[in-house]
Amino acid sequence: MTESDAKTFLFEKNPFPTAVSDREAILQNPGFGRVFTDHMVTVRYSEGRGWHDGRIEARKAFELDPATVVFHYAQEIFEGMKAYRLPDGGAALFRPDANARRFRNSALRLAMAPLPEQLFVESVRELVRVDRDWIPTADGSALYLRPFMIATEVLLGVKPSADYIYCVIASSVGSYFKGGAPAVTLWISENYTRAAPGGTGEAKCGGNYAASLAAQAEATREGCEQVIFLDAVERRFVEELGGMNVFFVFNDGSLQTPPLTGTILPGITRDSLITLARDMGLAVREEPYAIEQWEVDAQSGRLTEAFACGTAAVVTPIGKVKGRKHGFTIGDGGAGPIAGKLKAALLNIQNGRAPDPHGWVDRLF
Ligand code: PLP
Ligand code: COI
């Protein structure tokens, strides 16, 4: 399959779809990542043949040999994006081209076969069209899409796999944080780092998340919702959370976010918020920020807000930061006005309630 025949997916409707009444009950309160739609996309790759056998069919289990590469060497990448309901009942994706590009970059970093970007975008569009009844309508809810790719060669030798399966599944979601938490408490990871220079920090590969879980478990034990990682070299500069980027807001109205130097994920929400903040006339710096400075600035009042952002988390205010050597509250510990303004601006574009001056909205129907 090439860019030009990207629309070629064999479609086989799920003969046993979820009953309408069951689906409607599920959509009342879907949580995050627990309920799945009736279909999935698969496309296969093998060396010599390239991408082939594109399908949209009933969501079902894979049958894989126990010696399949992905089980042993974690050659796996994924994406996270959402389809949003529009006021007229239609639906749209948000910047799917950016996810396609990042997926390609992740594939190259993990020495996997890069999927043509147009094929990625079409696969996601088609799945949303097929499973359109699963897009929730409640405020803040969406259909979360999870494109991913696994190495499927059967081999214990360590080398890039010759075979891959690309797959897209979809999950109706509400808020990522239980009860839509107004502000979260972060745990500063001092024992663990997430990514080192030259590593895989800027790739969206499953291994990064596996490596973050011990730190996240430590955060949970310490009564915090999320972990925040410091840079692996100096162990001083704030990088990002396990699954979200971070922004700081100052009393002069300016914003700061860690720069993309290869160890953090280049978030599409991060990029969009930088643009929206600048549209609002706010200055945004992409510069390193040290943890000691964060504490000093929070205590002096120079720092007025901080927030996490990502597809799943949208914009989530950070109320408190804790660690073995640190402990401080940001502002009054609740949601700040700049985070609120940026969140509303982003959601209004995504949900088609505001004009789309940057051409980010990809209407599907
Ligand atoms: N950082 C990490 C580690 C993530 O997993 C995510 C989520 O995808 C983000 C940042 C935010 O990226 P995006 O805004 O593209 O969802
Ligand atoms: C996302 O925001 O899409 C993520 O991938 C974060 C997390 C759910 C892994």
Side-chain angles (χ1 to χ4, degrees):
M1 294 172 87
T2 62
E3 303 269 344
S4 57
D5 62 4
K7 286 196 172 172
T8 319
F9 296 100
L10 182 80
F11 177 53
E12 261 180 59
K13 197 170 158 37
N14 184 337
F16 306 107
T18 310
V20 174
S21 56
D22 290 350
R23 187 183 65 230
E24 281 171 359
I26 289 167
L27 291 183
Q28 293 301 310
N29 187 15
F32 190 91
R34 292 190 183 279
V35 299
F36 300 96
T37 65
D38 292 315
H39 296 87
M40 68 178 192
V41 176
T42 52
V43 188
R44 279 157 208 270
Y45 177 92
S46 50
E47 235 167 57
R49 199 167 163 202
W51 291 101
H52 61 277
D53 199 15
R55 289 167 180 268
I56 300 181
E57 59 192 353
R59 186 178 176 279
K60 63 172 192 249
F62 291 123
E63 193 175 308
L64 294 170
D65 188 281
T68 301
V69 167
V70 66
F71 294 144
H72 302 273
Y73 307 126
Q75 212 189 357
E76 186 270 356
I77 57 169
F78 68 96
E79 267 304 321
M81 52 208 288
K82 283 175 174 170
Y84 302 87
R85 270 279 172 223
L86 301 176
D88 64 1
L93 292 168
F94 183 71
R95 305 186 67 183
D97 51 323
N99 294 93
R101 197 167 324 119
R102 189 170 66 187
F103 195 66
R104 186 187 165 81
N105 291 338
S106 298
L108 294 174
R109 179 63 184 83
L110 274 281
M112 302 173 89
L115 184 77
E117 290 172 46
Q118 196 54 37
L119 184 53
F120 176 101
V121 173
E122 280 306 327
S123 68
V124 176
R125 284 180 179 153
E126 284 306 310
L127 185 62
V128 176
R129 288 187 185 117
V130 167
D131 279 336
R132 62 178 67 193
D133 293 338
W134 287 89
I135 310 172
T137 48
D139 219 26
S141 65
L143 185 65
Y144 184 81
L145 285 314
R146 173 52 64 88
F148 65 99
M149 195 199 311
I150 55 172
T152 53
E153 188 173 357
V154 176
L155 175 77
L156 295 183
V158 181
K159 72 155 193 65
S161 175
D163 308 312
Y164 298 94
I165 295 177
Y166 165 72
C167 178
V168 192
I169 53 173
S171 173
S172 311
V173 299
S175 168
Y176 187 71
F177 292 103
K178 270 208 188 82
V184 293
T185 301
L186 302 187
W187 174 253
I188 306 162
S189 178
E190 281 152 281
N191 294 334
Y192 305 104
T193 57
R194 180 182 173 276
T200 56
E202 68 184 344
K204 204 162 166 61
C205 58
N208 287 344
Y209 298 79
S212 76
L213 296 178
Q216 178 60 39
E218 190 176 83
T220 307
R221 279 198 301 279
E222 297 290 341
C224 300
E225 278 93 356
Q226 285 284 311
V227 59
I228 184 146
F229 290 101
L230 303 178
D231 79 283
V233 177
E234 296 193 46
R235 306 274 188 127
R236 280 184 65 210
F237 296 104
V238 178
E239 297 244 292
E240 64 176 324
L241 282 64
M244 294 152 221
N245 293 118
V246 62
F247 277 83
F248 310 97
V249 184
F250 297 90
N251 59 3
D252 62 358
S254 68
L255 283 87
Q256 189 162 330
T257 190
L260 301 178
T261 53
T263 54
I264 69 172
L265 194 81
I268 294 155
T269 316
R270 173 191 180 280
D271 184 75
S272 308
L273 292 175
I274 290 174
T275 301
L276 292 177
R278 288 182 179 149
D279 288 351
M280 290 173 186
L282 304 171
V284 186
R285 297 178 294 279
E286 292 180 74
E287 286 173 16
Y289 195 49
I291 182 68
E292 311 86 66
Q293 193 63 44
W294 191 4
E295 180 151 33
V296 168
D297 289 344
Q299 282 162 351
S300 72
R302 178 175 172 254
L303 179 105
T304 53
E305 297 178 43
F307 59 86
C309 68
T311 299
V314 194
V315 171
T316 299
I318 300 166
K320 289 195 176 106
V321 182
K322 284 167 50 177
R324 274 182 241 300
K325 299 192 289 254
H326 305 275
F328 54 96
T329 300
I330 296 159
D332 63 5
I338 304 267
K341 234 175 118 179
L342 284 167
K343 179 177 180 178
L346 181 67
L347 284 174
N348 284 341
I349 295 174
Q350 290 171 332
N351 287 287
R353 294 187 295 252
D356 172 30
H358 302 287
W360 288 338
V361 174
D362 179 41
R363 190 184 180 108
L364 303 181
F365 56 86

